[in-house]
Amino acid sequence: VDKRNLITNKFSTHASVTTLSRYNKVMALIFESAGSINKLDSDTKVTTIIRSLEDTWKDSNDNLQQDGGEAKDLWSLGVAVEKSQNDMESKAVVFSDASWLTDNYLLKGRNIGQQTIQPHAVLLTDTLFWLTDQKESSGTVNNELDVKIQHSKEGQGWIFFGTGILFPFFVFGIGRLRISSRTRGGTQ
């Protein structure tokens, strides 16, 4: 168990984390030395989009151990902020830690079968699409690897017999008809 870095797959259904929420079984984010975000009382709409796991605690004395006054809870690691005022809409996304946005995490992925998933890159793209009102563009990143062709014997016996036996007999039959029609035409 890592006591300093937080790993989570707890995402809301907000548009800025749609893909992560949909594939939370295989996509998890890593935050180095993250804090938590608390909502202040205001008329601004704040939606928690990323939470810590249930067994996370705030380490108030930095001893990397859970002490008596440090309760385990779900903590907000990322929030989406929206405010409408005078027919103007403003948006922001706030994270408790910026380490997820470094090359250490954005460029690295995890292979599942022949697919490489990069949850930090997915978070960045979905968040940017939400901030710029391009929700229809958000989604998964396609991997352009070639898919291997799987050969099986099911349903392919007719191809073997057709090309190996029937087609040669067909060609032989056409040749035989041609020769017999030529010999009949020459004797008359």
Side-chain angles (χ1 to χ4, degrees), residues 114-116 142-147:
Q114 293 184 0
Q115 186 80 9
T116 301
N142 288 335
N143 192 343
E144 297 296 327
L145 292 177
D146 290 335
V147 178

Side-chain angles (χ1 to χ4, degrees), residues 63-103:
N63 66 352
L64 303 179
Q65 306 256 344
Q66 183 185 11
D67 299 322
E70 301 168 344
K72 291 181 179 180
D73 201 357
L74 289 169
W75 305 97
S76 296
L77 301 176
V79 295
V81 182
E82 299 175 75
K83 186 171 184 172
S84 295
Q85 186 176 8
N86 300 331
D87 294 333
M88 295 291 291
E89 184 178 311
S90 51
K91 297 179 180 181
V93 180
V94 180
F95 297 97
S96 64
D97 180 45
S99 64
W100 70 272
L101 198 53
T102 63
D103 289 343

Side-chain angles (χ1 to χ4, degrees), residues 105-164:
Y105 298 113
L106 282 177
L107 300 177
K108 292 184 180 167
R110 200 174 94 207
N111 292 331
I112 297 179
Q114 293 184 0
Q115 186 80 9
T116 301
I117 59 168
Q118 296 172 303
H120 292 84
V122 169
L123 175 61
L124 178 63
T125 57
D126 278 359
T127 301
L128 290 176
F129 286 139
W130 177 74
L131 287 170
T132 58
D133 287 327
Q134 297 178 24
K135 296 173 191 153
E136 67 280 350
S137 299
S138 64
T140 59
V141 178
N142 288 335
N143 192 343
E144 297 296 327
L145 292 177
D146 290 335
V147 178
K148 291 184 179 180
I149 297 173
Q150 300 291 329
H151 294 284
S152 66
K153 291 183 179 179
E154 290 181 30
Q156 295 187 9
W158 66 271
I159 294 173
F160 172 76
F161 288 113
T163 57

